[in-house]
Amino acid sequence: MASQLTARPQDIPLENLYNLLEPITVAPTKAIFTNWAKTFICAPASVFEPENEFQCELVLELARREGKVVRVAAVGHSPSDLACTKEFMLRTTKLNRVLEVNTEKRYVVAQGGITLNDLHQHLEKNNLAMSNLGSISDQSLAGVVSTATHGSGINYGVISTHVMALSLLLADGSRVTCSRNERPELFMASLCGLGATGIILNVQLEVEPNFRLKEVQKSLPFEEFIQQFDTLAHSSEHSRFWWFPTKDTIRCSYSNRTLEENRPSGSWWWNTLFGYHIVQLLLFVGRYFPIVTIWTSNLACWLSSGESVGIDDSYKIFNVDCRYPQYTTEWAIPYENSQACLRDIRTYLQKQLQDPSGVRPHFPVEIRFSAADDIWMSPSYGRLTCWIGIVQYKPYGFNVAYRKLFNAFEEAFIRYQGRPHWAKTHPFGPEKLRQTYPHFDDFVNVIDSVDPQKMFRNEYIQRHIMGQSIDQRIFKKPA
């Protein structure tokens, strides 16, 4: 057995390969993958949970011999079918260690399967922190990098802009390191590579000294917000906004670094009793009586309307509670088009709310920002970006109407040159992607060069990147 463990995977007889993979093979009865929102589900032919890099190589070797696609997945937080496959799934949840922390040069090296929540704890012990974050930290580090996930801050790029180097396991079983200086094309393709260039084993991430944020929240009427849009977006290091369409009100959040002592905001009364349990109950009732959905949105807007100030560790301010599973879509709009886009969306929603049979939007519509970057497939490539995201909650896991609303939003986003968030459902194929991403063909060329056997092309990649006719609802969870 020892000789097998040190042998090259290609030299291991097939029967021995099966034996070596048995301990990390998930039982067929448990080999069902469902994303966090419980909107997509798949039953891969085999699911593997490797504990080290050599076992990842073994999985790829078996896939080569059997002609299988390998899809890498971690916690499955993507609201789309990005992680789904019918063939081999490699779950990286056990590849979750921090390998190096350099406080002097301010970087950390961690395995791709680590969640941001766990990474925060390691960084905190070393008085370090990530410079920017999205609304949640449940995702894996590799997942965040692969989709160019963003936070909010007019002068802050997507999280992938903080990556210094990547260690990848390619389809042929070779391990390579890439950065802006070493294999730069592979690096630029992998920073938002959707899992199509290889398995992200390790990430070297730039960090900064641990810091606290002071967040001030207040509410404004939509019209006042839109008239002061540029000023408000630039008024803090991390500005973000939540729009309650039924009340035509914007909840504004302004966060800046501070040396003041911790002073967490919020209360059990709002965060748990009303904000979670009662609101979820009302959303459930709203499935049958749509007027209740409007009342619920108005109640939530009122409960959060007062001015508040909170001071806490950075990641605790950056993150918010997503509360329940949800349908969601989010698009990156050129900053200069964002005000007009928001006005169009407002006009549409007002008409719907006045129509007794119109759609009843949930809340809030989230508005955030990211700086321009040079990452080939980043939605912020080459332009200052306003992100606009909408949700329709699934109270107690039950389905709600969302398609008509999402289709209308997508039409508006496309009119204003929007690019979809890669982790969320969208209609774009290669023709449209080629129009909006100058390096799309460079990206495809890298995929072709490092994965000629098409090992990492699951249904999502085949559909959106390669243009194959694959139903968007192939993995949709039945109602």
Side-chain angles (χ1 to χ4, degrees):
M1 181 66 70
S3 61
Q4 292 174 351
L5 288 174
T6 56
R8 296 183 307 169
Q10 58 266 40
D11 296 332
I12 298 174
L14 184 60
E15 183 177 350
N16 292 353
L17 192 58
Y18 285 134
N19 291 336
L20 288 170
L21 288 172
E22 184 178 1
I24 64 167
T25 303
V26 176
T29 55
K30 297 181 180 180
I32 303 295
F33 173 83
T34 304
N35 66 341
W36 174 82
K38 295 180 172 56
T39 51
F40 290 93
I41 186 171
C42 66
S46 296
V47 177
F48 304 95
E49 292 185 342
E51 299 179 4
N52 56 58
E53 295 178 5
F54 181 70
Q55 290 173 338
C56 293
E57 293 181 48
L58 296 179
V59 173
L60 295 191
E61 178 61 27
L62 181 62
R64 276 192 293 274
R65 296 190 195 185
E66 298 193 349
K68 297 292 188 182
V69 166
V70 177
R71 192 54 176 168
V72 179
V75 295
H77 213 284
S78 171
S80 73
D81 65 339
L82 176 62
C84 292
T85 185
K86 292 181 177 180
E87 302 193 19
F88 284 1
M89 177 173 285
L90 190 153
R91 301 292 302 273
T92 60
T93 49
K94 295 180 180 179
L95 299 172
N96 59 357
R97 294 184 295 121
V98 171
L99 305 176
E100 180 185 357
V101 178
N102 192 312
T103 56
E104 181 182 353
K105 295 184 178 179
R106 297 179 183 175
Y107 70 79
V108 61
V109 179
Q111 291 183 303
I114 193 170
T115 65
L116 297 191
N117 277 322
D118 288 343
L119 182 58
H120 297 329
Q121 303 307 313
H122 285 277
L123 291 175
E124 194 169 39
K125 292 176 184 177
N126 291 276
N127 295 314
L128 296 170
M130 294 177 64
S131 297
N132 198 12
L133 286 171
S135 294
I136 57 173
S137 289
D138 303 299
Q139 321 99 309
S140 71
L141 179 57
V144 165
V145 172
S146 296
T147 54
T149 293
H150 64 98
S152 192
I154 205 80
N155 296 312
Y156 288 81
V158 298
I159 294 174
S160 295
T161 60
H162 296 282
V163 175
M164 302 168 69
L166 294 170
S167 174
L168 300 175
L169 182 63
L170 301 184
D172 64 2
S174 62
R175 303 184 206 187
V176 300
T177 298
C178 58
S179 66
R180 288 184 177 272
N181 298 317
E182 186 177 0
R183 300 194 68 161
E185 290 193 345
L186 178 60
F187 183 66
M188 298 309 289
S190 300
L191 284 178
C192 185
L194 311 175
T197 62
I199 300 173
I200 296 180
L201 298 173
N202 306 323
V203 179
Q204 183 181 2
L205 186 71
E206 176 187 40
V207 293
E208 64 176 272
N210 198 14
F211 61 96
R212 289 187 293 276
L213 287 172
K214 180 177 183 178
E215 180 185 36
V216 178
Q217 290 192 20
K218 57 183 69 176
S219 297
L220 288 175
F222 179 90
E223 193 58 41
E224 186 176 341
F225 162 76
I226 210 73
Q227 289 176 6
Q228 302 178 45
F229 185 83
D230 192 59
T231 299
L232 297 177
H234 289 83
S235 63
S236 70
E237 293 176 276
H238 304 280
S239 298
R240 54 184 173 178
F241 306 96
W242 296 283
W243 175 19
F244 293 82
T246 61
K247 293 294 288 182
D248 209 27
T249 296
I250 304 287
R251 185 66 173 169
C252 308
S253 166
Y254 312 106
S255 296
N256 290 293
R257 284 155 177 74
T258 184
L259 298 177
E260 296 180 52
E261 293 300 318
N262 279 14
R263 187 176 25 150
S265 62
S267 67
W268 174 86
W269 185 255
W270 162 241
N271 290 339
T272 302
L273 179 60
F274 273 100
Y276 190 90
H277 295 293
I278 291 179
V279 167
Q280 182 166 212
L281 175 61
L282 292 173
L283 289 170
F284 177 77
V285 174
R287 296 175 71 241
Y288 306 99
F289 305 98
I291 188 64
V292 176
T293 299
I294 296 178
W295 297 343
T296 306
S297 180
N298 292 346
L299 173 65
C301 182
W302 174 73
L303 287 170
S304 62
S305 60
E307 183 170 338
S308 69
V309 177
I311 302 171
D312 214 328
D313 297 326
S314 56
Y315 66 91
K316 296 177 183 177
I317 295 291
F318 283 132
N319 288 168
V320 297
D321 188 350
C322 284
R323 302 200 182 277
Y324 339 106
Q326 57 200 240
Y327 299 107
T328 180
T329 187
E330 186 176 24
W331 288 65
I333 311 299
Y335 181 81
E336 63 272 17
N337 295 346
S338 50
Q339 289 165 275
C341 182
L342 288 166
R343 284 192 182 278
D344 274 12
I345 292 171
R346 182 200 191 197
T347 298
Y348 167 78
L349 290 175
Q350 287 181 331
K351 289 180 179 178
Q352 294 297 315
L353 292 170
Q354 291 166 6
D355 182 350
S357 302
V359 298
R360 297 295 178 253
H362 288 179
F363 54 89
V365 175
E366 190 170 33
I367 303 163
R368 292 178 286 172
F369 308 94
S370 60
D373 62 56
D374 63 349
I375 298 169
W376 287 356
M377 298 302 290
S378 165
S380 292
Y381 176 86
R383 65 194 198 189
L384 184 62
T385 297
C386 174
W387 295 83
I388 305 174
I390 60 173
V391 299
Q392 288 290 94
Y393 294 110
K394 299 177 62 182
Y396 308 114
F398 287 92
N399 294 331
V400 296
Y402 73 96
R403 289 189 205 170
K404 181 179 178 181
L405 176 67
F406 281 23
N407 287 341
F409 268 66
E410 286 183 353
E411 288 174 6
F413 296 148
I414 292 171
R415 282 198 306 274
Y416 288 98
Q417 291 77 55
R419 294 168 176 163
H421 191 306
W422 285 112
K424 299 171 183 178
T425 54
H426 64 88
F428 279 11
E431 183 177 348
K432 189 65 177 179
L433 293 172
R434 187 171 285 108
Q435 294 172 10
T436 191
Y437 286 100
H439 285 283
F440 178 77
D441 287 325
D442 295 322
F443 176 63
V444 173
N445 288 338
V446 168
I447 293 174
D448 286 338
S449 67
V450 297
D451 185 19
Q453 291 181 281
K454 306 177 182 179
M455 183 178 294
F456 295 123
R457 299 185 191 182
N458 74 328
E459 289 79 356
Y460 180 100
I461 298 298
Q462 292 172 28
R463 179 199 307 130
H464 292 292
I465 306 302
M466 301 303 168
Q468 296 185 24
S469 180
I470 295 177
D471 187 358
Q472 288 227 22
R473 301 180 63 80
I474 185 174
F475 296 117
K476 194 71 177 176
K477 189 172 182 179

